[in-house]
Every structure is written in C-alpha cells, then in structure tokens.
Amino acid sequence: MTKPQADTAPSVRQSMAWIHGWLGLIAGWILFAMFLTGTASYFRPEITRWMQPEIDLAQVAPAIAADTAVAHLQKVAPSAEQWFITLPDERTTATRIFIRDRPDPGPNAKPAPRRPEMRLDPKSGEEVTARETRGGEHFYRFHFQLQIPHPWGRWLAGLCAMAMLTAIISGVITHKRIFVDFFTLRWSKGQRSWLDAHNASAVLALPFHAMITYTGLITLVAMYMPWPIAANYKDPATFETAVFGAEPEEEYSGRFIPLTPVAPLVADASREWGGRPATMTVRNPNDATATITLFQSAKDRLNARGGSIVYSGVDGRRLSASPPPGPGAETAGVMLGLHMGNFAGPLLRWTYFFLGLTGTAMVGTGLVLWTVKRKRPNAAPFFGLRLAERLNLGAIACLPAGMAAFLLANRLLPASMPGRADIEVSIMFWTWFGLAAVACLRPIHRAWAETLALAAIAFLALPIVSVLTTTRGLPTSLQKGDWLFISFDLAMIATGALLGFAAWRAAQSAPAPVRQRKQASDAVQPLKEAADAA
Amino acid sequence: MQLEPFLLSYAGFASIALTTQRIRRNIAMPNLPKIGALRIFAAILFSLAASRAVDHFGAEKGWVAFIGMVCLSAVPLVLMISRWPRVGVSAGLGAVIVGLGAMLLNGAG
C-alpha cells in the first residue's frame, strides 16, 4: 500500500504562490520597463509636441488640412506613385505627409529612394521644420519592441506579457484575504508594508491590469500564434484582404487628368462615419487611374480599426468601401482600442495614465517584496538575492533617470545637430545602464536613495532647462495659456517630487552604520542583562 | 461634470470601508450608520456612477470609463485611509455632496 502524500504535496495555493513569485521576478524587470514606458505613451503625441517646441500651430478642420496638404504635394511631387497624408487632430497639430516616388519603368531599375516624412502647417500647407526627435513614439515603440531587432523584441515582450497574465491569475488564487485586505496599507512595517503596497496596487486596479495584459497579448496574437491563419490561407496577405478589404491597384496609365478636390470627399466620409478621417492615401495622383482612400479615425470609437472608403481621384465618385467587420475582426479591433486608449478624451486618458502607474507600482513593489522577503537580519545575502536587489535598483530607480535624460537631451543637444534623434535615444540607454552599473559600486541602501534622488533632480531640472533653452518655458506658457506645455512641466515637477519622496524614504529606511549599531547594542546590553536577571 | 463617476465611486468605496470593523475602530467616530445601510448606500452610489458614466461618455465608452474610474477612485481612498483615516472617509462625504450636486445640476440643466 502506498503512503498517502497529502501531507508533503504543496497545496494549490502554495503552488500558485511559487509560480507567482518566480514568474513575477523573472519577467518583472522587463515588465516594469514595459509598464512605465507604456504608461508614458498614453501621451505619445503630447510628448512629441513638447519635444518639438518649434512647432506651434493653430488647429484647422480636417478638410482644410487635406486641401493644403494636397496643394503642397502637387507642388513637390505631382507624379509620385503614392501620397500618404496623416491629418491633424486636437492632439497632433501638424499634418504629416510621406511620398512614395514612382520607380523607373526599366526592368533592372532600382527602386526609388525613400523620402523622409515631412510635417506641414495644416492652415497654410507650408513645410514646418523642427528639431529631429523620436518624441513619444520612442516610449511607445520601446514598450513592446524593447529596442531589440524585429521580431525578437516583440517575442520577448510577448513572453513577459504571458508571464504577467499567469502572475495575475496565480496572484488572485494566492491572495487569501483579497476582500479583507482591500483597504489595508500599513506604512513603515518592512516586509508587511511592501506586501500591502503590492496587494493594494494589484487588487484595486485588477480589472485594468487584467485588461491591459490580455489585450496587449491579443494585439500581437497573429505573430505569437500564426498557425490558424497559416492553416486556412496559403498567403497571409489573402487573410488581410478578407478581413480588412483591399485597395484597388490599377496600373498607372500615363494619361494626365488633374486630381479632384479632396475636401468634399473628407466631408462625405465624415458624414458617413459620424467621425473624422485620420489618414488619406492618394494613388497615382493626376492620372486617369487615380484613387483616394480615406481611413476612419479611431478617436471616436472603441474599435481601433476603422473602416475605409475609396474614391475616384478623377471625379470623386465613391468606388468601394471596406467590408463591415465580422465578429472576430470587431473583437480584435475593440481589444486593440481598449489597450491603446486612442478613443479616450483628456479625462479618460489621465485615468488610463494613473491606472498604468498603478500597474507599474504593482510590478515594482512585487520585485522589491521578493528581495525583502528573503533577507535575513543576521545573514549575508546570497548571490541570487544580491543580483535581484541590483536588478531591481537598475529597473525601478535607473529607468526613470534614463527617461528624464532622454527628455533633457532633447533640450540640451543643439536643435540642428545631425542624427540627434538617435543620440537622444542613446543617451537614455547610456544613462539607464550606466547609472545601474555605477550604483553597483555603492552599498545597496545608499544606492537606492542616491539613484532616486538623481532621477528626481533630473525631472525637476526639466522645466528649468526648458525655460533656458526654448521660448516655451513654464512662465511663458502660463502667460499664453499654453496648456499642453503647462501640464507637461507640472507633470515633470510632480514626477520629480514623487521620486524625491521615494529617495527620502529610501534614505530613512537605510540601516544604521555598523559602528552606531554597535553603540546601540552596547547601550541595550545592560538593559537585556537587567531583564534576564529579573 | 465628467468627474461625477469618480467622485461617486470614491464615496461608494468610502461607504464600504466603513463596513469593516478595523476602519470603524480606527476612525472612532460616533453615530456611524449601520453596516447594512452602508452597503446599500454603496450599491446605490456605484449604480449612479455607472449611470453617469454611460450618460457622459455614451454606452460604448461609458462602461470603460466607469470601470476605469471605479478602479482609480479606490487608490486615493486607500492612501488616505492608511495615513489619515478620518480625512479619507470624510472626503467620501464631500465626494457624495459634490457628485450628487453636479448630477442634480446636470439633470436640472
């Protein structure tokens, strides 16, 4: 008869706790960076606008912006193969255009060289020049590509997101007192406080954490699970056409017919959708086969994948429209929309932002909790613990410093410096990893306080540097009522203050130096002896 | 006012917080309502918050806004309760007054 193993086998809760702890730790450092940069990218266009202070444009209706953009393109590239126009909205004030030139007709001709994207004043159609920068796009791209070449960055981000989803589910199963502890947050109680902070940040915003993780995975599901498409479609492009429809691709005829005015088409599409178009492509402009395709903006609806309408570029006739999305495409579009939050107005965007910060706090407190839990008062930390401590410091304290350095570099590098966009990004990573390396040379408690203080100083320096290097510093913005710049500068001050508070708390919690502790224990000794005697 | 769902949710959570013995003990306020009444009041406040969110943001975005604001409203409450429990719970009363006041004004408007 075999001996029952009930006593020795771990319970479900214990198993889940083990999974939660280890998966959370292994993926945690990357997840922290994904959460923090992803949270920042809810203000992607606003960050870009702050990073290009030279661009200060008035808003105009999309139809006017489309007209002025086409007028500009008619001047600079009337016989291009295709024009891409991104229309401005209340968040991105400039029109963006991209031209694809027609390749030479010869059989061995090289493809036309790629032209850079241009920004236009939507009112006048004149080209706007500003400092080169990746802007908020950098944080957005980083949060799912991790600055690693395609597809490895996305794969790594996906694996971490899968770990996160598992950690969320196992965390809910592990947490015994989920309702009892709902309002519990005890300060200055060591491990207990970290556990409370981890539970509070996780449980209070649990629906958001689950949604953002799951929808993040679904966004790239075709990459992580390509087999259903591969099994049903010989060519993946056929799948795209079946789901999203296809643009007509008529051959260039060479017969000149001037392009029809685009403003009435923009008005027509806006009427049909009950919302504005976001982008427009013009194929074979000024040719008998010209077509104009308008793509619906995701700003008015939860579904991030809007429809499209194709018009004739000759007489403005409506040629076709994208098929109505099936249930699968609609669900995928809504999930993408929920993840990106493009539909959100200012209040909802701030809600997304703060919930994202709660998620960042959840991962950060979880990472710290792992190390605090394993520390023994009178024992030297083992190698794994020391490594985790240093990696925690590198992720939690050094990344914000790197992000501040990215923004500072934008203000301090000469505006006309060639390649400055890449240099800004490099400065972020050099600061992040350089600081993490330097912090390894310092005792861990001091390193926390010092690194957080440095990050705080860097954020607090941003509004000052902005005053000194641009004409859109905080005092001027306040005078002009430039709310984007005012909000940005105030957000930097608030971030600096928060990091400063964290630095102060880290300095407070640092253990007393050995000499002092010895003195303290010397003072306590007679009391202990007296107590023993009693 | 678009913040109504947030304020009403904050007040709803403050009511639920008052149903826990630990917080009732910590704030040590006399004449606290009974736990059952607080639970019913919280349910009413959350229902109103949902209704206002749908009203402001539309049926599609309203539910997202409601869930987002419910999640977010609990964060300042827990932070306040951890340091100044009386202030945190009393702010719930302020939130009810402002939230319901704005709701009535909107209704009248």
Side-chain angles (χ1 to χ4, degrees):
Chain A
M1 197 174 154
T2 54
K3 194 181 169 184
Q5 293 188 346
D7 294 342
T8 52
S11 68
V12 173
R13 237 184 206 132
Q14 282 171 324
S15 307
M16 289 295 145
W18 187 88
I19 290 171
H20 183 78
W22 282 102
L23 272 186
L25 179 79
I26 291 164
W29 299 297
I30 296 173
L31 281 171
F32 184 87
M34 286 167 71
F35 254 99
L36 190 59
T37 51
T39 301
S41 55
Y42 281 123
F43 290 104
R44 182 166 36 143
E46 288 79 9
I47 293 172
T48 306
R49 277 172 66 187
W50 184 88
M51 292 179 83
Q52 291 187 317
E54 299 85 0
I55 300 180
D56 188 11
L57 304 167
Q59 282 180 34
V60 299
I64 298 172
D67 251 352
T68 54
V70 167
H72 180 88
L73 286 159
Q74 289 284 23
K75 273 191 273 177
V76 298
S79 51
E81 187 181 51
Q82 204 161 0
W83 297 337
F84 298 88
I85 303 167
T86 306
L87 297 169
D89 54 30
E90 63 278 5
R91 296 179 70 194
T92 53
T93 50
T95 309
R96 287 186 291 138
I97 58 166
F98 175 71
I99 300 162
R100 191 160 76 198
D101 283 313
R102 193 171 298 289
D104 289 336
N108 298 323
K110 286 181 184 169
R114 190 186 162 88
R115 292 206 206 191
E117 188 185 84
M118 283 188 277
R119 280 163 202 268
L120 306 178
D121 178 347
K123 201 172 173 187
S124 64
E126 292 300 316
E127 193 179 340
V128 181
T129 50
R131 63 187 68 197
E132 236 187 87
T133 181
R134 298 248 179 102
E137 192 70 17
H138 167 59
F139 293 139
Y140 170 68
R141 294 274 155 199
F142 177 80
H143 104 275
F144 66 95
Q145 295 184 160
L146 305 170
Q147 208 71 10
I148 298 172
H150 186 74
W152 307 112
R154 289 185 183 202
W155 265 107
L156 183 57
L159 285 172
C160 290
M162 288 173 212
M164 174 83 188
L165 196 61
T166 314
I168 288 175
I169 296 165
S170 55
V172 169
I173 298 169
T174 307
H175 194 2
K176 274 188 275 192
R177 295 155 53 91
I178 203 160
F179 293 110
V180 178
D181 284 346
F182 196 80
F183 299 102
T184 308
L185 179 59
R186 284 159 288 189
W187 293 75
S188 309
K189 291 200 188 304
Q191 185 185 331
R192 184 72 246 181
S193 297
W194 286 110
L195 181 61
D196 282 349
H198 182 59
N199 287 343
S201 53
V203 172
L204 300 180
L206 185 61
F208 173 80
H209 302 326
M211 177 279 284
I212 211 74
T213 309
Y214 185 67
T215 55
L217 273 171
I218 291 293
T219 303
L220 295 176
V221 72
M223 183 183 164
Y224 302 136
M225 297 177 71
W227 307 286
I229 296 172
N232 289 289
Y233 296 88
K234 277 185 184 166
D235 176 12
T238 332
F239 166 75
E240 297 277 327
T241 309
V243 177
F244 305 116
E247 281 191 66
E249 289 195 8
E250 278 202 65
E251 283 296 313
Y252 176 65
S253 72
R255 225 158 28 91
F256 176 82
I257 296 180
L259 191 72
T260 188
V262 290
L265 310 184
V266 171
D268 181 67
S270 303
R271 227 180 357 260
E272 181 169 332
W273 290 324
R276 60 201 300 169
T279 52
M280 189 169 110
T281 59
V282 181
R283 197 177 166 77
N284 299 332
N286 305 307
D287 186 74
T289 59
T291 54
I292 298 167
T293 309
L294 293 176
F295 296 90
Q296 189 179 9
S297 167
K299 301 232 155 68
D300 310 303
R301 51 217 292 276
L302 276 187
N303 189 340
R305 292 198 180 105
S308 64
I309 304 175
V310 185
Y311 296 93
S312 159
V314 176
D315 52 14
R317 259 180 315 120
R318 182 191 156 111
L319 297 177
S320 64
S322 57
E330 182 84 25
T331 308
V334 168
M335 287 205 182
L336 180 63
L338 279 174
H339 188 84
M340 296 179 68
N342 281 337
F343 65 88
L347 182 68
L348 277 186
R349 204 171 312 124
W350 278 105
T351 305
Y352 259 98
F353 177 78
F354 284 117
L355 288 171
L357 284 186
T358 317
T360 314
M362 171 185 69
V363 179
T365 51
L367 285 170
V368 174
L369 179 61
W370 193 93
T371 57
V372 171
K373 214 171 163 180
R374 282 160 181 81
K375 262 187 193 162
R376 295 288 168 266
N378 297 317
F382 55 95
F383 173 74
L385 179 59
R386 275 181 294 159
L387 180 69
E389 275 181 336
R390 295 293 167 179
L391 287 169
N392 282 355
L393 176 69
I396 298 167
C398 300
L399 170 59
M403 290 168 82
F406 173 68
L407 299 171
L408 275 173
N410 175 265
R411 289 295 189 253
L412 294 172
L413 292 174
S416 54
M417 186 180 188
R420 71 189 306 289
D422 291 336
I423 298 172
E424 280 176 11
V425 173
S426 302
I427 285 174
M428 172 174 147
F429 289 107
W430 278 107
T431 309
W432 178 8
F433 298 130
L435 207 54
V438 171
C440 285
L441 305 173
R442 306 283 297 148
I444 189 71
H445 284 96
R446 285 197 193 157
W448 272 107
E450 289 163 359
T451 318
L452 287 166
L454 269 177
I457 292 166
F459 274 103
L460 292 171
L462 273 166
I464 301 164
V465 174
S466 210
V467 170
L468 297 174
T469 56
T470 71
T471 55
R472 295 176 80 178
L474 189 55
T476 320
S477 309
L478 284 167
Q479 272 175 359
K480 283 187 184 172
D482 185 349
W483 282 105
L484 187 135
F485 274 65
I486 295 170
S487 312
F488 196 98
D489 285 345
L490 291 180
M492 294 304 102
I493 293 169
T495 310
L498 191 67
L499 287 164
F501 174 72
W504 175 71
R505 292 285 304 183
Q508 296 284 306
S509 67
V514 176
R515 197 159 51 85
Q516 283 177 11
R517 266 195 309 193
K518 191 174 178 306
Q519 282 170 357
S521 65
D522 288 349
V524 169
Q525 198 57 34
L527 293 175
K528 276 187 179 169
E529 284 169 7
D532 288 345
Chain B
M1 192 169 66
Q2 291 192 333
L3 265 178
E4 280 167 43
F6 177 86
L7 294 170
L8 294 169
S9 304
Y10 182 96
F13 275 125
S15 299
I16 294 179
L18 279 177
T19 63
T20 60
Q21 289 303 335
R22 183 173 57 84
I23 291 167
R24 283 175 90 89
R25 209 171 41 241
N26 282 354
I27 62 168
M29 280 166 125
N31 304 325
L32 281 175
K34 283 186 177 170
I35 287 175
L38 283 165
R39 281 186 183 148
I40 293 168
F41 188 52
I44 292 169
L45 287 171
F46 283 126
S47 308
L48 284 174
S51 138
R52 297 312 293 158
V54 171
D55 211 43
H56 279 305
F57 299 97
E60 205 182 37
K61 296 182 203 170
W63 288 104
V64 181
F66 169 64
I67 294 169
M69 289 195 197
V70 164
C71 290
L72 195 59
S73 65
V75 177
L77 178 71
V78 168
L79 285 172
M80 293 281 271
I81 284 179
S82 70
R83 282 276 177 189
W84 308 284
R86 274 192 185 203
V87 181
V89 173
S90 308
L93 191 63
V96 175
I97 293 167
V98 177
L100 289 179
M103 208 178 108
L104 291 172
L105 281 176
N106 281 342

